[in-house]
Amino acid sequence: MSFNIRLMRESDLIAVHAVQALAYIPEMIESLDILKARLHASPETAWVAENKDGIGAYLVAYPSQRGKISALGSDFDLPSIPDALYVHDVAVAPRMAGQGVAVALVQRALSCAQSRDFQYVCLVSVQDSLSFWEKLGFAEDKNLSPEQSSLLLTYVGPAYYCSKKLSN
């Protein structure tokens, strides 16, 4: 592996924001303030991947409940009794693409979720990433309330709520 994965630190946020700008269309880029608030909400579920050139990928997640979506640009709302890890954001800079970084970050999140005895890992698939998530065992989950389904419209382009049942 030509990269290292570690917990994200506040000092990483400018580099994380730069990766986000490279990986997402402009309408999906979230502010540095939102990134900072999310890191503070759940610092133990945010990771970066770095190599000799610095941070080139990241994953931000938080404890949640299956069927609950975070709107684009919103703060994380942590429940008192979570049953899922919600992967809000995975981004890889072009310079690290094709090296298995995204899969390694997702594996780290899955391990974290299992260690906390969560039943699910959930996410919203955007930017034509559904096949990536399906290869990792996620499936579109249509068991959403109308209110939660409407939050998919905060994302640009097709957005799919997906979940993966964990075997604990």
Side-chain angles (χ1 to χ4, degrees):
M1 195 170 5
S2 60
F3 56 88
N4 177 55
I5 295 176
R6 64 168 172 78
L7 285 172
M8 187 183 293
R9 300 184 287 253
E10 191 169 329
S11 61
D12 297 328
L13 289 176
I14 291 173
V16 165
H17 194 256
V19 169
Q20 183 184 72
L22 292 169
Y24 289 112
I25 61 173
E27 298 84 3
M28 299 253 295
I29 297 171
E30 297 177 301
S31 74
L32 242 120
D33 288 340
I34 289 288
L35 293 174
K36 183 177 180 179
R38 290 182 176 158
L39 176 61
H40 286 267
S42 189
E44 67 284 353
T45 58
W47 299 273
V48 296
E50 60 186 350
N51 63 14
K52 62 180 176 51
D53 297 319
I55 293 171
Y58 69 91
L59 183 150
V60 176
Y62 67 96
S64 186
Q65 292 176 323
R66 181 177 177 216
K68 190 166 183 339
I69 295 175
S70 283
L72 184 66
S74 69
D75 288 332
F76 290 163
D77 180 22
L78 282 78
S80 57
I81 303 174
D83 69 354
L85 184 67
Y86 184 96
V87 175
H88 178 74
D89 198 3
V90 179
V92 179
R95 71 177 174 81
M96 288 185 84
Q99 299 177 35
V101 179
V103 171
L105 285 164
V106 172
Q107 292 299 334
R108 181 68 57 100
L110 290 170
S111 294
C112 175
Q114 286 184 309
S115 73
R116 293 172 171 221
D117 293 324
F118 291 153
Q119 296 175 20
Y120 301 94
V121 175
C122 306
L123 56 94
V124 173
S125 170
V126 296
Q127 292 191 185
D128 297 320
S129 64
L130 187 57
S131 64
F132 168 81
W133 294 110
E134 288 173 338
K135 287 176 188 169
L136 295 176
F138 288 83
E140 187 176 358
D141 187 339
K142 296 182 180 182
N143 293 328
L144 294 172
S145 71
E147 176 188 338
Q148 292 299 309
S149 288
S150 71
L151 295 175
L152 291 172
L153 299 175
T154 66
Y155 294 88
V156 178
Y160 307 94
Y161 181 72
C162 299
S163 65
K164 177 178 176 135
K165 175 94 169 102
L166 299 176
S167 56
N168 293 333

